[in-house]
Amino acid sequence: MKHGQMNKNQIKKAFSLLEPSGQVREDIWNKIEKQIDEPTVGRMIESEKNKGKGYYRKFFLKAAAVFVSVIGILGAIDRMNGGKMMEVLANFWKMDKNSQHVVQKMTDYHVKVDTAYAPELLEDTEERIILAGTFGVVIYDQERGQVEGTIDLDKIQSNFFGTETLKTRFIVDGDNLYIYNCQEGKPYGKYYRYDLGMCKGNLKKKEISSLSPVETKKVTENLEKQRKKSQRYKTTWEQFSNAEKIFEGKIYSEKCLRTKVKNGGIQNSCLVLKKNAGTSKYQMYIYRQNQNTKKITKDKLYVFAIESDAEEKNYPKYYVEDKNSVKQALINCFYENPKVYAGSVYHGKNIESTLPEKQYELVLPIIQITGIKKQGDTVKIIGTFYWYGFVTSGKTLYESDADGNRAVAYLKETKDGYKVEKIICPRGGGYYRKDLEQIYGKDDVAVQKTLDMDVESGVVETLKEYVKQNQQKFVYYKAFGRDPQNLK
């Protein structure tokens, strides 16, 4: 046997020990084998032949890297181990930008934007899994362990999850997926029908693409009746035995999908997200429990999105028209000295600044002034001093995180305007009102107004100002658990 051929066979043996299995592994190997036979990799084999134990694994990574560069998906590969690289190879064929956007946002911290739960599980069969969340629908080929298609829900304005009255509904009927909206339980607007069979054609071409609807019509009550008749969901926490232990430290679907199994029993299935240590990413699993035996099975889903070419938003800073105003000084403090903006507790320590801006696409100060007192060149301001972090999808801004306090700010008047010197926050419990009165001074009207202030209204007002002054494209703001609000 020729030396090169022997090396290739042993590489394939080592390759087979890595995690992916079946058709996925075979497809990837066929491609890597072709690259091994190319002159460049052939020279690599020759130069590595006397390097001892560990050579084959080391060579495999080199060969895989060549393969990756050939198909143009070399994003962030250098920090991955062999197993992780295999997951990337298994799931990054040719993915269009819409699909990349959907998969990325389904697998990182954005999953917690709209709800405390994991995305919904729409279908779980031996052939296919379908899951849906705020940022889209993912169609996953069970047999190949491969994402085969996505749907961008923002494009059809059907991304209402974790809302008060607006709900996006789904019906899976064979290869037909119907998507439409309900408001207060009644369907309205249009429905969109997708042909999921189109994914198979794309998969044969080694493409993962975002599907477009094949039919759009006015939705009727009949469609909602059909959905209710076919509905097979129960509350996950109530249906899974020993749920507290099973889901500890994980995010899971609020509703589990109930299907009949071969022995006539019922199986409960839900999507589970387990955080990858040290990252903002989550690994997806399907948890299944037989209702009779209580036996749990867990299937890992290979759902990943390439991280290179991430769009830099670089949104402009918020400002008010009067650049010398006390409010602008507070805004400047937020951007320039977040530790001062976070404040300190009355008779206590500084508050830890919690402003990890890189986790959010846009972060804005939310400042509501309820009273002003001037004493010489010192100005005391009572009000609410918060910040909100947002993530985006299409024309919608989603609340992702927030922090702040009702407090009193001390500003010094200078020749260049005002400068924030400190912000003092009240202690909790029974001290809250008393501390505000002590810090700001006796003013029942201003203190009561501060206590009654609706911060959420300040968020909407600030976003409207921000969108207008910077001519941003955003039309809606979605707070946690609420319906979207118009910003125009």
Side-chain angles (χ1 to χ4, degrees):
M1 182 181 292
K2 293 182 179 179
H3 178 77
Q5 184 64 39
M6 179 179 66
N7 281 343
K8 187 166 71 173
N9 289 339
Q10 293 196 39
I11 294 166
K12 185 174 183 180
K13 183 179 178 180
F15 173 88
S16 68
L17 298 176
L18 294 172
E19 193 169 10
S21 59
Q23 184 65 47
V24 173
R25 188 175 64 224
E26 188 63 29
D27 286 352
I28 298 170
W29 169 253
N30 288 338
K31 292 179 179 179
I32 292 178
E33 181 180 36
K34 181 179 179 181
Q35 295 302 319
I36 290 174
D37 290 335
E38 292 295 322
T40 301
V41 181
R43 287 194 296 271
M44 286 168 56
I45 292 176
E46 190 64 29
S47 65
E48 294 284 344
K49 64 182 178 180
N50 295 317
K51 297 207 174 175
K53 290 185 178 181
Y55 147 65
Y56 293 115
R57 177 175 174 81
K58 184 176 179 182
F59 166 74
F60 165 73
L61 294 178
K62 284 190 176 182
V66 171
F67 168 63
V68 169
S69 65
V70 168
I71 62 174
I73 55 170
L74 191 56
I77 295 300
D78 57 330
R79 61 178 180 271
M80 298 179 182
N81 60 27
K84 182 70 173 177
M85 182 179 287
M86 285 301 305
E87 293 171 350
V88 173
L89 292 176
N91 292 279
F92 298 131
W93 296 351
K94 185 178 179 183
M95 181 183 285
D96 67 17
K97 285 189 175 180
N98 281 335
S99 287
Q100 181 176 319
H101 166 86
V102 170
V103 175
Q104 273 184 328
K105 293 204 170 186
M106 290 277 272
T107 54
D108 67 14
Y109 65 90
H110 295 84
V111 297
K112 294 192 290 184
V113 167
D114 248 359
T115 175
Y117 296 100
E120 294 181 16
L121 189 59
L122 305 184
E123 183 176 77
D124 177 22
T125 67
E126 292 182 357
E127 295 79 26
R128 182 174 66 196
I129 289 173
I130 306 174
L131 46 122
T134 298
F135 297 98
V137 174
V138 171
I139 302 101
Y140 182 86
D141 189 308
Q142 281 261 69
E143 296 175 321
R144 302 178 70 93
Q146 170 73 52
V147 173
E148 61 177 23
T150 66
I151 296 171
D152 188 340
L153 293 178
D154 180 73
K155 284 190 170 183
I156 57 173
Q157 294 185 359
S158 297
N159 52 353
F160 302 122
F161 297 79
T163 50
E164 294 169 304
T165 64
L166 286 166
K167 306 287 182 184
T168 295
R169 301 301 194 187
F170 304 90
I171 299 175
V172 182
D173 182 13
D175 275 344
N176 290 310
L177 173 61
Y178 296 85
I179 305 175
Y180 60 98
N181 296 322
C182 283
Q183 186 162 33
E184 296 182 337
K186 295 182 179 180
Y188 78 96
K190 299 176 181 179
Y191 76 76
Y192 301 86
R193 181 173 67 84
Y194 292 83
D195 179 5
L196 303 183
M198 297 174 69
C199 293
K200 298 299 181 185
N202 291 334
L203 211 56
K204 287 179 180 178
K205 295 185 289 185
K206 301 298 182 284
E207 293 179 351
I208 304 167
S209 58
S210 186
L211 299 179
S212 298
V214 295
E215 180 182 69
T216 303
K217 289 184 178 180
K218 182 177 174 59
V219 67
T220 65
E221 287 283 352
N222 289 335
L223 205 58
E224 178 65 357
K225 288 179 181 178
Q226 180 184 340
R227 184 192 68 83
K228 289 180 178 178
K229 187 176 180 180
S230 62
Q231 194 173 40
R232 298 169 291 144
Y233 292 96
K234 293 285 185 180
T235 302
T236 299
W237 187 264
E238 295 174 356
Q239 291 301 123
F240 271 72
S241 298
N242 203 15
E244 186 172 358
K245 182 178 179 181
I246 293 171
F247 299 123
E248 183 181 5
K250 304 176 183 69
I251 300 173
Y252 55 91
S253 304
E254 181 180 13
K255 302 286 186 181
C256 62
L257 186 63
R258 293 165 58 79
T259 55
K260 292 181 179 180
V261 292
K262 292 179 180 178
N263 64 5
I266 298 294
Q267 175 178 271
N268 295 314
S269 305
C270 72
L271 186 70
V272 172
L273 304 176
K274 185 178 179 182
K275 202 170 193 303
N276 291 336
T279 74
S280 62
K281 301 294 180 183
Y282 290 79
Q283 176 59 59
M284 289 188 175
Y285 295 85
I286 297 291
Y287 277 38
R288 303 181 181 94
Q289 185 177 66
N290 186 293
Q291 190 163 285
N292 295 329
T293 65
K294 313 303 180 188
K295 182 181 178 182
I296 290 273
T297 59
K298 306 172 186 177
D299 280 354
K300 182 178 180 180
L301 303 187
Y302 292 89
V303 181
F304 299 92
I306 194 166
E307 295 182 31
S308 60
D309 301 324
E311 184 181 354
E312 289 291 335
K313 304 293 184 179
N314 293 323
Y315 290 117
K317 293 180 178 180
Y318 172 57
Y319 63 89
V320 291
E321 294 298 328
D322 185 355
K323 297 294 191 295
N324 294 319
S325 67
V326 292
K327 186 169 183 178
Q328 184 63 51
L330 289 162
I331 292 170
N332 293 341
C333 178
F334 166 77
Y335 286 117
E336 297 166 8
N337 200 338
K339 287 187 178 180
V340 172
Y341 187 84
S344 59
V345 178
Y346 188 50
H347 294 320
K349 297 180 179 179
N350 288 343
I351 297 172
E352 183 90 22
S353 175
T354 54
L355 191 57
E357 291 190 53
K358 292 183 179 179
Q359 290 187 14
Y360 314 108
E361 294 168 17
L362 173 65
V363 184
L364 294 179
I366 310 299
I367 299 165
Q368 297 161 297
I369 297 173
T370 53
I372 299 177
K373 282 185 177 181
K374 191 169 184 180
Q375 300 170 337
D377 62 353
T378 297
V379 177
K380 285 202 294 187
I381 296 175
I382 188 171
T384 64
F385 309 98
Y386 282 76
W387 63 262
Y388 271 61
F390 306 94
V391 295
T392 67
S393 180
K395 295 181 179 180
T396 302
L397 277 163
Y398 291 90
E399 174 194 346
S400 180
D401 201 359
D403 200 4
N405 292 282
R406 287 163 169 79
V408 176
Y410 289 75
L411 286 73
K412 185 71 72 174
E413 187 175 11
T414 71
K415 62 179 182 179
D416 299 320
Y418 295 92
K419 181 179 180 180
V420 178
E421 294 193 315
K422 60 183 176 180
I423 296 178
I424 308 296
C425 307
R427 293 168 291 179
Y431 290 105
Y432 203 80
R433 184 187 189 104
K434 182 180 178 181
D435 283 359
L436 282 176
E437 291 173 345
Q438 288 288 326
I439 303 165
Y440 185 66
K442 192 65 177 176
D443 187 335
D444 290 339
V445 174
V447 170
Q448 189 60 50
K449 192 175 180 180
T450 303
L451 294 173
D452 293 340
M453 183 61 70
D454 176 18
V455 177
E456 192 66 25
S457 66
V459 177
V460 175
E461 182 182 341
T462 300
L463 285 174
K464 284 182 177 180
E465 290 177 5
Y466 181 82
V467 167
K468 184 177 180 180
Q469 69 188 204
N470 295 294
Q471 298 182 327
Q472 294 293 310
K473 65 179 182 179
F474 303 114
V475 177
Y476 302 104
Y477 160 60
K478 174 70 174 66
F480 185 88
R482 299 193 182 183
D483 289 344
Q485 297 189 59
N486 202 310
L487 298 176
K488 298 291 188 180

